């Protein structure tokens, strides 16, 4: 009994606040959206430097700066969402290695450090070293992108968030956001071939993400009654039906159509419109999918 009492007095309290109905609000939506851009532009720069090096040779510094800014937005909104933000250092001082939060914190911190190095190397025009560091940064960007899916999957009471589907959606979101932002960032600096590559990545990412969402929308209820109850929030007269379909059209359907039109008419302005719609729509889609499982009472 004495031992148990002493152990209890040494416990580290990290969350001693009342839980709201929606535990993860719009702050987490911004978190995921910004992370998709921050990791996505790194993916796209890595691909373009190998496929179209002359077209993007002057985009090393702007891309590294964009990635640095959006990863910091991701970290800022992650911190803002914590009920006890001034205790976040406990994650590093008392880590739980079975927690996706701890691993995500370690990887995001390392990723941010590599981005700082990329910005420095690009500023110094040390392109050879930059490209070497970019390789490792792109590799680390994969688990940084995926860890949110693991965090959501650990919420076992939220049946809709399944690790395989959420992992695919996180990678597709990064590819979609990264290609869309690079289209806008590169502008007239990009060659027609580089724009076509980005358009293909954007279009295929939109198509695959849309297929996964429609599969869950149509067949999700076969998996569990909990999923059927959650999907009801975006079906028929559900409170999020309009927002769900608005997001699907803006993020996926319209960008795919605009990319086809841009390729047929060789129009840069239509391609840029597809990119803008994809970025705006992605935030809507992520928000709906984040909120609706939390609306289902757990008792």
């Amino acid at each position: 009994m004495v031992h148990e009492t002493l152990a209890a007095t040494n416990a580290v309290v990290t969350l001693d606040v009342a839980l709201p109905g929606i535990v993860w609000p719009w702050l987490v939506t911004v978190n995921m959206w910004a992370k998709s851009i921050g990791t996505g532009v790194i993916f796209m720069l890595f691909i373009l430097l190998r496929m179209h090096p002359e077209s993007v040779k002057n985009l090393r510094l702007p891309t590294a700066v964009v990635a640095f800014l959006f990863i910091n937005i991701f970290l800022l909104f992650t911190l803002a969402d914590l009920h006890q933000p001034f205790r976040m250092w406990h994650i590093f001082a008392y880590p739980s290695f079975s927690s996706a939060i701890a691993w995500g914190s370690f990887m995001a911190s390392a990723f941010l450090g590599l981005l700082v190095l990329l910005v420095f190397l690009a500023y110094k025009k040390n392109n050879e070293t930059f490209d070497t560091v970019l390789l490792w940064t792109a590799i680390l960007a994969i688990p940084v992108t995926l860890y949110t899916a693991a965090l959501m999957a650990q919420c076992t009471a939220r049946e809709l968030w399944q690790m395989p589907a959420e992992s695919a959606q996180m990678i597709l979101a990064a590819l979609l956001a990264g290609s869309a932002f690079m289209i806008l960032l590169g502008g007239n600096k990009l060659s027609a071939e580089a724009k076509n590559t980005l358009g293909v990545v954007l279009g295929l990412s939109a198509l695959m993400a849309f297929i996964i969402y429609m599969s869950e929308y149509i067949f999700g209820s076969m998996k569990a009654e909990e999923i059927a109850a959650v999907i009801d929030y975006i079906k028929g007269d559900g409170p999020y039906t309009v927002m769900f379909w608005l997001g699907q059209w803006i993020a996926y359907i319209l960008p795919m159509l605009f990319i086809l039109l841009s390729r047929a008419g060789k129009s840069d302005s239509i391609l840029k419109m597809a990119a803008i719609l994809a970025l705006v729509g992605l935030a809507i889609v992520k928000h709906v999918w984040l909120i609706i499982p939390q609306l289902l009472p757990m008792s």
Side-chain angles (χ1 to χ4, degrees):
M1 180 62 70
V2 174
H3 174 73
E4 293 178 354
T5 301
L6 290 175
T9 58
N10 292 328
V12 177
V13 179
T14 58
L15 180 63
D16 54 354
V17 296
L19 291 176
I22 300 296
V23 179
W24 289 343
W26 64 270
L27 294 168
V28 178
T29 302
V30 178
N31 164 319
M32 293 189 292
W33 182 78
K35 180 166 64 96
S36 294
I37 296 175
T39 56
V41 292
I42 291 297
F43 289 144
M44 290 303 102
L45 181 62
F46 178 78
I47 292 172
L48 291 176
L49 279 174
R50 277 146 185 79
M51 297 182 66
H52 313 285
E54 288 301 314
S55 180
V56 295
K57 63 182 180 181
N58 295 323
L59 289 179
R60 287 182 173 88
L61 180 58
T63 304
V65 170
V66 166
F68 174 79
L69 290 176
F70 276 92
I71 290 300
N72 274 286
I73 292 173
F74 151 65
L75 293 173
L76 175 63
F77 277 83
T78 300
L79 186 64
D81 182 58
L82 297 177
H83 296 283
Q84 295 288 357
F86 295 108
R87 297 179 183 174
M88 60 82 59
W89 61 271
H90 289 173
I91 297 174
F92 298 93
Y94 309 102
S96 172
F97 294 106
S98 62
S99 170
I101 296 177
W103 284 106
S105 301
F106 302 150
M107 292 186 296
S109 299
F111 187 67
L112 182 61
L114 288 176
L115 291 178
V116 172
L117 181 57
L118 285 179
V119 171
F120 174 77
L121 293 172
Y123 178 76
K124 291 295 185 179
K125 300 186 184 302
N126 190 342
N127 294 339
E128 184 176 351
T129 306
F130 179 97
D131 292 349
T132 300
V133 175
L134 178 63
L135 168 63
W136 295 106
T137 309
I139 292 173
L140 183 58
I142 297 173
V144 170
T145 300
L146 291 176
Y147 103 87
T148 307
L151 182 60
M152 296 171 74
Q154 282 189 325
C155 301
T156 53
R158 310 297 176 182
E159 189 68 26
L160 184 66
W161 295 332
Q162 297 290 327
M163 184 64 181
E166 294 305 321
S167 296
Q169 289 289 24
M170 292 299 167
I171 288 293
L172 291 172
L175 294 176
L176 181 135
S179 57
F181 207 97
M182 287 297 285
I183 289 171
L184 300 175
L185 181 65
N188 296 327
K189 297 177 183 178
L190 296 173
S191 65
E193 293 77 12
K195 291 176 184 176
N196 285 337
T197 298
L198 291 172
V200 168
V201 174
L202 176 55
L204 290 178
S205 299
L207 176 61
M208 295 173 68
F210 180 71
I211 289 173
I212 294 174
Y213 276 121
M214 288 302 100
S215 298
E216 294 181 287
Y217 180 85
I218 296 170
F219 301 108
S221 57
M222 297 180 182
K223 175 70 176 178
E225 292 181 358
E226 291 86 349
I227 294 181
V230 171
I231 294 297
D232 280 343
Y233 289 112
I234 56 175
K235 282 188 174 181
D237 296 327
Y240 280 81
T241 298
V242 173
M243 185 179 289
F244 173 78
W245 285 109
L246 191 65
Q248 296 296 314
W249 273 92
I250 296 176
Y252 305 133
I253 300 174
L254 289 178
M256 286 189 285
L257 293 175
F258 281 13
I259 288 168
L260 293 176
L261 290 174
S262 71
R263 291 176 69 88
K266 301 186 184 304
S267 173
D268 289 347
S269 59
I270 296 179
L271 182 62
K272 290 177 181 178
M273 180 58 67
I276 293 171
L277 288 173
L279 289 170
V280 173
L282 181 64
I284 300 174
V285 168
K286 287 293 183 184
H287 185 68
V288 172
W289 213 250
L290 174 73
I291 295 299
I292 56 174
Q294 300 182 71
L295 299 177
L296 186 66
M298 291 290 100
S299 61

